mmCIF file of all heavy atoms in Angstrom:
data_model
loop_
_atom_site.group_PDB
_atom_site.id
_atom_site.type_symbol
_atom_site.label_atom_id
_atom_site.label_comp_id
_atom_site.label_asym_id
_atom_site.label_seq_id
_atom_site.Cartn_x
_atom_site.Cartn_y
_atom_site.Cartn_z
ATOM 1 N N TYR A 1 -51.919 -23.114 -26.980
ATOM 2 C CA TYR A 1 -52.580 -23.528 -25.748
ATOM 3 C C TYR A 1 -53.983 -24.083 -26.074
ATOM 4 O O TYR A 1 -54.389 -25.135 -25.540
ATOM 5 C CB TYR A 1 -52.710 -22.323 -24.796
ATOM 6 C CG TYR A 1 -53.346 -22.684 -23.480
ATOM 7 C CD1 TYR A 1 -52.581 -23.061 -22.383
ATOM 8 C CD2 TYR A 1 -54.721 -22.647 -23.322
ATOM 9 C CE1 TYR A 1 -53.159 -23.402 -21.177
ATOM 10 C CE2 TYR A 1 -55.343 -22.987 -22.124
ATOM 11 C CZ TYR A 1 -54.539 -23.356 -21.051
ATOM 12 O OH TYR A 1 -55.136 -23.691 -19.855
ATOM 13 N N ALA A 2 -54.724 -23.381 -26.913
ATOM 14 C CA ALA A 2 -56.079 -23.810 -27.239
ATOM 15 C C ALA A 2 -56.077 -25.192 -27.887
ATOM 16 O O ALA A 2 -56.916 -26.040 -27.556
ATOM 17 C CB ALA A 2 -56.722 -22.794 -28.176
ATOM 18 N N ALA A 3 -55.156 -25.424 -28.800
ATOM 19 C CA ALA A 3 -55.073 -26.731 -29.471
ATOM 20 C C ALA A 3 -54.832 -27.864 -28.477
ATOM 21 O O ALA A 3 -55.319 -28.976 -28.656
ATOM 22 C CB ALA A 3 -53.974 -26.698 -30.530
ATOM 23 N N GLY A 4 -54.084 -27.547 -27.433
ATOM 24 C CA GLY A 4 -53.782 -28.563 -26.420
ATOM 25 C C GLY A 4 -54.974 -28.990 -25.590
ATOM 26 O O GLY A 4 -54.917 -29.990 -24.852
ATOM 27 N N LEU A 5 -56.082 -28.258 -25.664
ATOM 28 C CA LEU A 5 -57.302 -28.591 -24.930
ATOM 29 C C LEU A 5 -58.135 -29.675 -25.614
ATOM 30 O O LEU A 5 -59.012 -30.255 -25.019
ATOM 31 C CB LEU A 5 -58.167 -27.347 -24.736
ATOM 32 C CG LEU A 5 -57.535 -26.190 -23.944
ATOM 33 C CD1 LEU A 5 -58.475 -24.977 -23.995
ATOM 34 C CD2 LEU A 5 -57.301 -26.612 -22.505
ATOM 35 N N ILE A 6 -57.818 -29.945 -26.871
ATOM 36 C CA ILE A 6 -58.599 -30.905 -27.657
ATOM 37 C C ILE A 6 -58.150 -32.334 -27.385
ATOM 38 O O ILE A 6 -56.967 -32.651 -27.417
ATOM 39 C CB ILE A 6 -58.467 -30.587 -29.161
ATOM 40 C CG1 ILE A 6 -59.038 -29.198 -29.454
ATOM 41 C CG2 ILE A 6 -59.185 -31.644 -29.996
ATOM 42 C CD1 ILE A 6 -58.779 -28.729 -30.860
ATOM 43 N N THR A 7 -59.122 -33.184 -27.094
ATOM 44 C CA THR A 7 -58.856 -34.613 -26.852
ATOM 45 C C THR A 7 -59.409 -35.437 -27.997
ATOM 46 O O THR A 7 -60.189 -34.947 -28.840
ATOM 47 C CB THR A 7 -59.481 -35.090 -25.531
ATOM 48 O OG1 THR A 7 -60.916 -35.054 -25.664
ATOM 49 C CG2 THR A 7 -59.067 -34.179 -24.357
ATOM 50 N N ALA A 8 -59.054 -36.703 -28.027
ATOM 51 C CA ALA A 8 -59.469 -37.595 -29.118
ATOM 52 C C ALA A 8 -60.983 -37.757 -29.174
ATOM 53 O O ALA A 8 -61.542 -38.023 -30.237
ATOM 54 C CB ALA A 8 -58.774 -38.946 -28.937
ATOM 55 N N GLU A 9 -61.653 -37.618 -28.042
ATOM 56 C CA GLU A 9 -63.098 -37.853 -28.000
ATOM 57 C C GLU A 9 -63.928 -36.620 -28.326
ATOM 58 O O GLU A 9 -65.166 -36.677 -28.348
ATOM 59 C CB GLU A 9 -63.495 -38.345 -26.587
ATOM 60 C CG GLU A 9 -62.929 -39.686 -26.202
ATOM 61 C CD GLU A 9 -61.462 -39.598 -25.752
ATOM 62 O OE1 GLU A 9 -61.055 -38.473 -25.349
ATOM 63 O OE2 GLU A 9 -60.745 -40.597 -25.831
ATOM 64 N N ASP A 10 -63.300 -35.489 -28.566
ATOM 65 C CA ASP A 10 -64.033 -34.238 -28.726
ATOM 66 C C ASP A 10 -64.692 -34.103 -30.095
ATOM 67 O O ASP A 10 -64.194 -34.581 -31.128
ATOM 68 C CB ASP A 10 -63.108 -33.028 -28.512
ATOM 69 C CG ASP A 10 -62.906 -32.709 -27.031
ATOM 70 O OD1 ASP A 10 -63.897 -32.810 -26.297
ATOM 71 O OD2 ASP A 10 -61.791 -32.339 -26.661
ATOM 72 N N PHE A 11 -65.834 -33.418 -30.080
ATOM 73 C CA PHE A 11 -66.535 -32.958 -31.293
ATOM 74 C C PHE A 11 -66.406 -31.456 -31.269
ATOM 75 O O PHE A 11 -67.070 -30.784 -30.467
ATOM 76 C CB PHE A 11 -67.988 -33.432 -31.262
ATOM 77 C CG PHE A 11 -68.746 -33.105 -32.520
ATOM 78 C CD1 PHE A 11 -68.202 -33.248 -33.767
ATOM 79 C CD2 PHE A 11 -70.063 -32.667 -32.421
ATOM 80 C CE1 PHE A 11 -68.916 -32.968 -34.923
ATOM 81 C CE2 PHE A 11 -70.803 -32.382 -33.576
ATOM 82 C CZ PHE A 11 -70.217 -32.529 -34.826
ATOM 83 N N VAL A 12 -65.592 -30.899 -32.137
ATOM 84 C CA VAL A 12 -65.081 -29.521 -31.998
ATOM 85 C C VAL A 12 -65.601 -28.581 -33.057
ATOM 86 O O VAL A 12 -65.596 -28.907 -34.257
ATOM 87 C CB VAL A 12 -63.535 -29.524 -32.049
ATOM 88 C CG1 VAL A 12 -62.991 -28.112 -31.830
ATOM 89 C CG2 VAL A 12 -62.944 -30.488 -31.043
ATOM 90 N N TYR A 13 -66.033 -27.385 -32.622
ATOM 91 C CA TYR A 13 -66.345 -26.327 -33.558
ATOM 92 C C TYR A 13 -65.196 -25.330 -33.591
ATOM 93 O O TYR A 13 -64.708 -24.892 -32.530
ATOM 94 C CB TYR A 13 -67.626 -25.589 -33.144
ATOM 95 C CG TYR A 13 -67.994 -24.508 -34.131
ATOM 96 C CD1 TYR A 13 -68.625 -24.809 -35.328
ATOM 97 C CD2 TYR A 13 -67.676 -23.173 -33.904
ATOM 98 C CE1 TYR A 13 -68.937 -23.852 -36.262
ATOM 99 C CE2 TYR A 13 -67.993 -22.178 -34.832
ATOM 100 C CZ TYR A 13 -68.639 -22.524 -36.009
ATOM 101 O OH TYR A 13 -68.931 -21.554 -36.936
ATOM 102 N N ILE A 14 -64.731 -24.982 -34.796
ATOM 103 C CA ILE A 14 -63.681 -23.973 -34.961
ATOM 104 C C ILE A 14 -64.208 -22.834 -35.816
ATOM 105 O O ILE A 14 -64.506 -23.030 -36.997
ATOM 106 C CB ILE A 14 -62.387 -24.572 -35.559
ATOM 107 C CG1 ILE A 14 -61.855 -25.688 -34.669
ATOM 108 C CG2 ILE A 14 -61.348 -23.468 -35.723
ATOM 109 C CD1 ILE A 14 -60.511 -26.248 -35.123
ATOM 110 N N ASP A 15 -64.336 -21.689 -35.225
ATOM 111 C CA ASP A 15 -64.848 -20.493 -35.875
ATOM 112 C C ASP A 15 -63.821 -19.940 -36.870
ATOM 113 O O ASP A 15 -62.605 -20.132 -36.729
ATOM 114 C CB ASP A 15 -65.120 -19.451 -34.762
ATOM 115 C CG ASP A 15 -65.717 -18.170 -35.295
ATOM 116 O OD1 ASP A 15 -66.508 -18.221 -36.233
ATOM 117 O OD2 ASP A 15 -65.398 -17.107 -34.725
ATOM 118 N N ALA A 16 -64.311 -19.219 -37.900
ATOM 119 C CA ALA A 16 -63.409 -18.530 -38.791
ATOM 120 C C ALA A 16 -62.603 -17.485 -38.043
ATOM 121 O O ALA A 16 -63.085 -16.888 -37.087
ATOM 122 C CB ALA A 16 -64.225 -17.859 -39.914
ATOM 123 N N GLY A 17 -61.343 -17.265 -38.445
ATOM 124 C CA GLY A 17 -60.517 -16.284 -37.764
ATOM 125 C C GLY A 17 -59.046 -16.614 -37.887
ATOM 126 O O GLY A 17 -58.673 -17.775 -38.166
ATOM 127 N N THR A 18 -58.208 -15.636 -37.688
ATOM 128 C CA THR A 18 -56.781 -15.842 -37.874
ATOM 129 C C THR A 18 -56.137 -16.616 -36.731
ATOM 130 O O THR A 18 -55.223 -17.423 -36.965
ATOM 131 C CB THR A 18 -56.055 -14.500 -38.045
ATOM 132 O OG1 THR A 18 -56.348 -13.634 -36.935
ATOM 133 C CG2 THR A 18 -56.512 -13.794 -39.326
ATOM 134 N N THR A 19 -56.597 -16.402 -35.503
ATOM 135 C CA THR A 19 -56.037 -17.148 -34.377
ATOM 136 C C THR A 19 -56.547 -18.569 -34.350
ATOM 137 O O THR A 19 -55.789 -19.515 -34.086
ATOM 138 C CB THR A 19 -56.336 -16.456 -33.038
ATOM 139 O OG1 THR A 19 -56.010 -15.055 -33.128
ATOM 140 C CG2 THR A 19 -55.535 -17.082 -31.906
ATOM 141 N N THR A 20 -57.823 -18.763 -34.671
ATOM 142 C CA THR A 20 -58.362 -20.135 -34.734
ATOM 143 C C THR A 20 -57.665 -20.922 -35.840
ATOM 144 O O THR A 20 -57.459 -22.123 -35.709
ATOM 145 C CB THR A 20 -59.870 -20.118 -34.957
ATOM 146 O OG1 THR A 20 -60.201 -19.282 -36.086
ATOM 147 C CG2 THR A 20 -60.605 -19.595 -33.712
ATOM 148 N N GLU A 21 -57.328 -20.248 -36.934
ATOM 149 C CA GLU A 21 -56.606 -20.943 -37.998
ATOM 150 C C GLU A 21 -55.244 -21.436 -37.527
ATOM 151 O O GLU A 21 -54.810 -22.554 -37.869
ATOM 152 C CB GLU A 21 -56.410 -19.998 -39.208
ATOM 153 C CG GLU A 21 -55.684 -20.671 -40.370
ATOM 154 C CD GLU A 21 -55.373 -19.716 -41.509
ATOM 155 O OE1 GLU A 21 -55.478 -18.493 -41.319
ATOM 156 O OE2 GLU A 21 -55.002 -20.213 -42.584
ATOM 157 N N ARG A 22 -54.553 -20.641 -36.731
ATOM 158 C CA ARG A 22 -53.230 -21.042 -36.239
ATOM 159 C C ARG A 22 -53.319 -22.264 -35.320
ATOM 160 O O ARG A 22 -52.364 -23.023 -35.193
ATOM 161 C CB ARG A 22 -52.593 -19.884 -35.460
ATOM 162 C CG ARG A 22 -52.152 -18.735 -36.350
ATOM 163 C CD ARG A 22 -51.737 -17.540 -35.478
ATOM 164 N NE ARG A 22 -51.558 -16.360 -36.321
ATOM 165 C CZ ARG A 22 -50.396 -15.854 -36.639
ATOM 166 N NH1 ARG A 22 -49.284 -16.408 -36.183
ATOM 167 N NH2 ARG A 22 -50.295 -14.773 -37.385
ATOM 168 N N MET A 23 -54.463 -22.472 -34.680
ATOM 169 C CA MET A 23 -54.652 -23.644 -33.819
ATOM 170 C C MET A 23 -54.368 -24.951 -34.578
ATOM 171 O O MET A 23 -53.842 -25.902 -34.003
ATOM 172 C CB MET A 23 -56.107 -23.718 -33.346
ATOM 173 C CG MET A 23 -56.491 -22.886 -32.173
ATOM 174 S SD MET A 23 -58.235 -23.194 -31.799
ATOM 175 C CE MET A 23 -58.192 -24.949 -31.392
ATOM 176 N N ILE A 24 -54.775 -24.961 -35.818
ATOM 177 C CA ILE A 24 -54.768 -26.218 -36.587
ATOM 178 C C ILE A 24 -53.370 -26.826 -36.673
ATOM 179 O O ILE A 24 -53.193 -28.058 -36.605
ATOM 180 C CB ILE A 24 -55.381 -25.991 -37.991
ATOM 181 C CG1 ILE A 24 -56.835 -25.542 -37.838
ATOM 182 C CG2 ILE A 24 -55.304 -27.264 -38.813
ATOM 183 C CD1 ILE A 24 -57.475 -25.029 -39.119
ATOM 184 N N ASP A 25 -52.354 -25.982 -36.772
ATOM 185 C CA ASP A 25 -50.977 -26.484 -36.843
ATOM 186 C C ASP A 25 -50.539 -27.176 -35.556
ATOM 187 O O ASP A 25 -49.608 -27.981 -35.578
ATOM 188 C CB ASP A 25 -50.021 -25.329 -37.119
ATOM 189 C CG ASP A 25 -50.161 -24.785 -38.532
ATOM 190 O OD1 ASP A 25 -50.509 -25.568 -39.429
ATOM 191 O OD2 ASP A 25 -49.935 -23.575 -38.720
ATOM 192 N N TYR A 26 -51.216 -26.891 -34.461
ATOM 193 C CA TYR A 26 -50.801 -27.428 -33.153
ATOM 194 C C TYR A 26 -51.721 -28.546 -32.644
ATOM 195 O O TYR A 26 -51.497 -29.084 -31.556
ATOM 196 C CB TYR A 26 -50.781 -26.306 -32.097
ATOM 197 C CG TYR A 26 -49.830 -25.190 -32.434
ATOM 198 C CD1 TYR A 26 -50.287 -23.904 -32.700
ATOM 199 C CD2 TYR A 26 -48.444 -25.413 -32.496
ATOM 200 C CE1 TYR A 26 -49.401 -22.863 -32.991
ATOM 201 C CE2 TYR A 26 -47.558 -24.387 -32.800
ATOM 202 C CZ TYR A 26 -48.054 -23.126 -33.036
ATOM 203 O OH TYR A 26 -47.164 -22.104 -33.338
ATOM 204 N N ILE A 27 -52.725 -28.916 -33.415
ATOM 205 C CA ILE A 27 -53.658 -29.964 -32.975
ATOM 206 C C ILE A 27 -52.961 -31.332 -33.035
ATOM 207 O O ILE A 27 -52.564 -31.775 -34.116
ATOM 208 C CB ILE A 27 -54.932 -29.975 -33.810
ATOM 209 C CG1 ILE A 27 -55.734 -28.685 -33.558
ATOM 210 C CG2 ILE A 27 -55.783 -31.196 -33.491
ATOM 211 C CD1 ILE A 27 -56.942 -28.521 -34.441
ATOM 212 N N ALA A 28 -52.829 -31.959 -31.884
ATOM 213 C CA ALA A 28 -52.155 -33.273 -31.818
ATOM 214 C C ALA A 28 -53.183 -34.416 -31.877
ATOM 215 O O ALA A 28 -52.902 -35.449 -32.468
ATOM 216 C CB ALA A 28 -51.347 -33.362 -30.534
ATOM 217 N N ASN A 29 -54.339 -34.230 -31.269
ATOM 218 C CA ASN A 29 -55.354 -35.278 -31.244
ATOM 219 C C ASN A 29 -56.240 -35.180 -32.495
ATOM 220 O O ASN A 29 -57.286 -34.551 -32.514
ATOM 221 C CB ASN A 29 -56.228 -35.141 -29.989
ATOM 222 C CG ASN A 29 -55.484 -35.613 -28.766
ATOM 223 O OD1 ASN A 29 -55.160 -36.782 -28.640
ATOM 224 N ND2 ASN A 29 -55.217 -34.703 -27.833
ATOM 225 N N ARG A 30 -55.769 -35.815 -33.546
ATOM 226 C CA ARG A 30 -56.468 -35.710 -34.824
ATOM 227 C C ARG A 30 -57.591 -36.736 -34.975
ATOM 228 O O ARG A 30 -58.210 -36.830 -36.036
ATOM 229 C CB ARG A 30 -55.442 -35.818 -35.968
ATOM 230 C CG ARG A 30 -54.486 -34.629 -35.942
ATOM 231 C CD ARG A 30 -53.387 -34.717 -36.935
ATOM 232 N NE ARG A 30 -52.483 -33.560 -36.779
ATOM 233 C CZ ARG A 30 -51.347 -33.392 -37.421
ATOM 234 N NH1 ARG A 30 -50.941 -34.337 -38.279
ATOM 235 N NH2 ARG A 30 -50.581 -32.337 -37.212
ATOM 236 N N GLN A 31 -57.855 -37.489 -33.906
ATOM 237 C CA GLN A 31 -58.991 -38.390 -33.910
ATOM 238 C C GLN A 31 -60.286 -37.626 -33.624
ATOM 239 O O GLN A 31 -61.375 -38.147 -33.836
ATOM 240 C CB GLN A 31 -58.804 -39.503 -32.878
ATOM 241 C CG GLN A 31 -57.598 -40.393 -33.092
ATOM 242 C CD GLN A 31 -56.349 -39.822 -32.432
ATOM 243 O OE1 GLN A 31 -56.330 -38.682 -31.983
ATOM 244 N NE2 GLN A 31 -55.287 -40.649 -32.362
ATOM 245 N N ALA A 32 -60.151 -36.414 -33.092
ATOM 246 C CA ALA A 32 -61.345 -35.589 -32.847
ATOM 247 C C ALA A 32 -62.033 -35.266 -34.168
ATOM 248 O O ALA A 32 -61.404 -35.285 -35.226
ATOM 249 C CB ALA A 32 -60.933 -34.301 -32.126
ATOM 250 N N VAL A 33 -63.317 -34.963 -34.092
ATOM 251 C CA VAL A 33 -64.076 -34.585 -35.295
ATOM 252 C C VAL A 33 -64.331 -33.073 -35.233
ATOM 253 O O VAL A 33 -64.642 -32.525 -34.175
ATOM 254 C CB VAL A 33 -65.430 -35.358 -35.349
ATOM 255 C CG1 VAL A 33 -66.243 -34.912 -36.570
ATOM 256 C CG2 VAL A 33 -65.155 -36.864 -35.401
ATOM 257 N N PHE A 34 -64.208 -32.401 -36.386
ATOM 258 C CA PHE A 34 -64.279 -30.948 -36.431
ATOM 259 C C PHE A 34 -65.387 -30.472 -37.338
ATOM 260 O O PHE A 34 -65.691 -31.065 -38.380
ATOM 261 C CB PHE A 34 -62.932 -30.376 -36.931
ATOM 262 C CG PHE A 34 -61.769 -30.712 -36.032
ATOM 263 C CD1 PHE A 34 -61.069 -31.921 -36.188
ATOM 264 C CD2 PHE A 34 -61.389 -29.848 -35.022
ATOM 265 C CE1 PHE A 34 -60.003 -32.228 -35.363
ATOM 266 C CE2 PHE A 34 -60.329 -30.156 -34.178
ATOM 267 C CZ PHE A 34 -59.621 -31.350 -34.350
#
């Protein structure tokens, strides 16, 4: 669900953690900057 909130225009911070790590597999908008 969290990964689905990311859009192509976003500048995103991802904190260390096991759930945040799982987000990465579901990120579809890879034009965002992290």
Side-chain angles (χ1 to χ4, degrees):
Y1 182 92
L5 298 174
I6 297 172
T7 68
E9 295 78 22
D10 278 321
F11 184 41
V12 183
Y13 182 79
I14 301 185
D15 183 36
T18 55
T19 310
T20 52
E21 181 185 14
R22 289 171 190 254
M23 279 182 62
I24 299 169
D25 290 330
Y26 300 115
I27 293 173
N29 285 296
R30 295 175 184 173
Q31 298 88 349
V33 177
F34 298 87

